[in-house]
Amino acid sequence: MIAIPAVELAATVVAVRTCSGRAVDKFTRFGLTPAPAQQVTAPQVVECLANLACRIADARSVPRA
């Protein structure tokens, strides 16, 4: 999911990117609202102007770890 925030969320965007979603519930910590997406399992961010659902179509060029 790619969320497109308004400029008013700039400080929140910076803060969100500095912590791991595996260790912290980012929606709760930063006061954001999740909403279910129709095509993917990642939640949408209600406060954002747009949410774009994406899927990898061809992973052959992605290095495997």
Side-chain angles (χ1 to χ4, degrees), residues 25-28 31-37 41-47 51:
D25 179 346
K26 292 184 179 190
F27 284 99
T28 300
L32 299 171
T33 310
T41 58
Q44 297 181 35
V45 181
V46 171
E47 290 77 11
N51 290 274

Side-chain angles (χ1 to χ4, degrees), residues 56-64:
I56 296 175
D58 183 356
R60 289 179 289 182
S61 63
V62 177
R64 300 194 189 278

Side-chain angles (χ1 to χ4, degrees), residues 1 8 33 35 63:
M1 184 66 65
E8 293 81 14
T33 310

Side-chain angles (χ1 to χ4, degrees), residues 6-40:
V7 70
E8 293 81 14
L9 286 175
T12 302
V13 169
V14 171
V16 164
R17 72 177 182 84
T18 63
C19 69
S20 169
R22 292 181 184 181
V24 173
D25 179 346
K26 292 184 179 190
F27 284 99
T28 300
R29 182 168 181 179
F30 298 103
L32 299 171
T33 310
Q38 295 178 4
Q39 300 289 327
V40 296

